[in-house]
Each structure stands twice: as C-alpha cells, then as structure tokens.
Amino acid sequence: MCGIVGLFLKDPKLQPQLGAMLTDMLITMTDRGPDSAGIAIYSQGKIGHGKLTVQSATPEVDFKNLDADLGAALGQPVLMLVKSSHAVLEVPAGQLDAARSALAKIRPGMKIMSSGEGIEIYKEVGLPKDVAARFEVAKMHGTHGIGHTRMATESAVTTMGAHPFSTGPDQCLVHNGSLSNHNGVRRELKRLGMTFETENDTEVGAAFVSHKLQQGETLGQALEATLTDLDGFFTFVVGTKDGFGVVRDPIACKPAVMAETDQYVAFGSEYRALVNLPGIESARVWEPEPATVYFWER
C-alpha cells in the first residue's frame, strides 16, 4: 500500500503555490506510506540550461567545491543549490550527458535523482512531513508535479528505493502496486540499452515508459503499452516535461481518484488528498477507469 499524488496546473497564477499544495496532499497520504517519500517538481527552467538533481549520503564531503570541480571538468560554469542531502546543478543544456559522465568520475558515490530542463526530484527515507520539510518543498514554484509515500513490500527501505523513479530526461514515474513480470522486462530493457540502479519493480515501469518515449511514441502510446506488456496490479502516474499521465491496470484494485477544474487537474490515491485544493467543491471528480489512459500536456 502506497500513496500517490499529482497536480497539473492550468492556471499560471497557481504556480507559486504548487509546492505548498503538493506538500499538503503528500502529508495527507502518510498512513499509506510512512517508510519514505519523494516528490518531483517541474518548472519552466532557464532557456539554454539544464538541471541535474543529485543525492549524497555524505553531502558535507561530496558537495564541497562540487560546482567548481564539475565546471572544470566541463569547461563551463556550473551553478549549485544545496538542499540537505540533495543538490541541484545547473549546466548548459547541451552538457547534461557530459555532466553525468563527469560526475561518475569526480563524485562516484553520488546518485543522480533526475536530469532535464525542468525536473527536480527530492526523495529520502522518513515520514512525508519530514521529507517535505527537509527540502522546503512547500516553498517551490512550478507548473506540475507528482509525489509518493511508500510502504515497502518487496525491497529495502532506502533512498534509492523511494519514488519517483527517473529513467529519462524530464521523465519520472510513481507507482502503487506490484509488477509480477518485472524481472523479465528488466532483462529485455537491459538488452535494449536501458540501465538500472535498483531491483525495484517501479524502476522497471519507469524504464519501460522511457524506452517507449525514446522510440518516438507519445506519452499516451507508452502508457497504453503498459497494459499489454506489464503484468500485475498497478496504478502509474508519470511526469514529463510538458505534463503528466495516469493509467491503471485492467483490474484496477488500487484506489485512485481525480479532479479537474479550470485551474488544475489533480490525482490522489484517496479523495482526502484533494480536499484542500482551491475550488475542489465544484470540481469534476471521478475514479479513473481500468485500462484507460489519461494524460494532460501543454
């Protein structure tokens, strides 16, 4: 049992409140997942720049002079914002892959949480309220975001086992459920060139969607493919640079509810995650249908 939340803003006036709204939604789902929590925030970013969010178990060591060291490796200036065990590194957009390679050499113990133009991912072990406070998520602005509270059932409670999982540029996925064929799918995706950091079945779901997108499929097509190629019980919420999507397996035994107004589209594992959103009393509220893809993009 885990908790999922998502919020896609249609009204730009709400963008300064995105982090605060997602934080409230996430904390409400605490009893569905007290082991760890994570959140992905998307913003418009700076033209010509990209971001890598990195995590370290020893930030006082790994983050010391990290911007200077990475800048020297790239031959380009790097900006760094440290938030507890995570740091956001801003580099020229064309240098994201080079930055990943350089980080593996100059800070081999660090983990990359996300990479892209607009995405930042923060996740750690602990209660949702503590994780959100640790990274000051409530102060963050953005266009859309997704979050997850985890109750571990199949793998260890670790930072890397927390959701969201990001396996492609500006892409991430959160999951409630269990995939029964993830080992076979992982082997096939590895053969096709995908890499994995964990044994978590959710990372397989994320990599499956990323691979489909890399092959030129739309988000809708990629989510449709999960219904035929992935076995098990699942509710996926996927974030991309331009929006987010939702899909439930054909049986749909995992709870889910959505709400839409002129200002936003929201997702929660339970309705109580949505009750404090503005205008929720007049929103169109519904349960996503089984084996049906929903997505919103700019």
Side-chain angles (χ1 to χ4, degrees):
M1 183 171 72
C2 297
I4 300 174
V5 299
L7 191 58
F8 176 86
L9 299 181
K10 300 178 184 180
D11 184 353
K13 294 178 182 178
L14 288 179
Q15 291 182 13
Q17 303 174 46
L18 177 69
M21 289 190 288
L22 279 171
T23 296
D24 180 76
M25 296 167 72
L26 196 71
I27 291 173
T28 304
M29 292 289 95
T30 296
D31 58 355
R32 295 193 62 87
D35 296 334
S36 62
I39 199 158
I41 296 281
Y42 288 85
S43 61
Q44 294 176 340
K46 295 181 182 178
I47 296 175
H49 291 78
K51 296 186 287 188
L52 294 106
T53 309
V54 297
Q55 184 270 351
S56 172
T58 56
E60 67 282 358
V61 175
D62 282 334
F63 295 165
K64 185 177 181 180
N65 299 322
L66 175 58
D67 48 351
D69 292 345
L70 181 58
L74 296 177
Q76 299 278 352
V78 172
L79 297 179
M80 178 172 67
L81 173 64
V82 174
K83 287 190 175 184
S84 185
S85 61
H86 288 47
V88 180
L89 301 166
E90 184 180 296
V91 303
Q95 295 280 340
L96 281 170
D97 288 341
R100 293 181 73 105
S101 298
L103 287 171
K105 296 177 181 178
I106 65 176
R107 297 293 192 279
M110 288 196 323
K111 299 295 185 181
I112 295 177
M113 299 287 100
S114 62
S115 173
E117 295 181 20
I119 189 175
E120 296 178 20
I121 287 181
Y122 301 90
K123 60 182 186 179
E124 278 292 1
V125 172
L127 291 171
K129 68 178 181 64
D130 296 330
V131 173
R134 182 173 183 174
F135 300 114
E136 299 183 316
V137 176
K139 297 180 181 179
M140 296 186 70
H141 300 192
T143 55
H144 57 292
I146 62 176
H148 187 271
T149 64
R150 184 176 184 226
M151 183 176 290
T153 57
E154 295 186 359
S155 56
V157 179
T158 63
T159 300
M160 293 305 292
H163 304 202
F165 281 90
S166 181
T167 51
D170 283 306
Q171 299 164 20
C172 67
L173 179 147
V174 293
H175 170 212
N176 180 21
S178 178
L179 300 180
S180 57
N181 68 333
H182 62 94
N183 287 324
V185 175
R186 183 186 290 107
R187 285 193 295 270
E188 177 62 14
L189 289 172
K190 283 183 176 180
R191 187 185 70 80
L192 295 171
M194 300 298 292
T195 59
F196 293 85
E197 295 279 353
T198 74
E199 295 300 313
N200 193 293
D201 62 337
T202 303
E203 188 178 14
V204 173
F208 178 86
V209 172
S210 292
H211 177 70
K212 292 294 184 181
L213 293 175
Q214 289 172 13
Q215 298 304 301
E217 296 190 12
T218 65
L219 175 59
Q221 291 169 330
L223 295 179
E224 287 281 358
T226 67
L227 297 170
T228 55
D229 292 7
L230 300 181
D231 293 331
F233 303 117
F234 58 86
T235 295
F236 290 145
V237 178
V238 177
T240 69
K241 176 184 175 182
D242 298 317
F244 85 142
V246 174
V247 67
R248 303 170 79 195
D249 68 84
I251 297 177
C253 65
K254 298 300 180 181
V257 62
M258 301 199 71
E260 184 171 15
T261 72
D262 291 339
Q263 292 184 296
Y264 59 81
V265 180
F267 177 95
S269 290
E270 299 178 35
Y271 178 73
R272 59 195 172 103
L274 313 180
V275 295
N276 291 327
L277 292 174
I280 190 64
E281 63 281 352
S282 58
R284 181 174 75 93
V285 179
W286 77 99
E287 180 181 354
E289 294 290 334
T292 302
V293 171
Y294 301 83
F295 62 95
W296 288 264
E297 293 182 307
R298 286 179 166 73

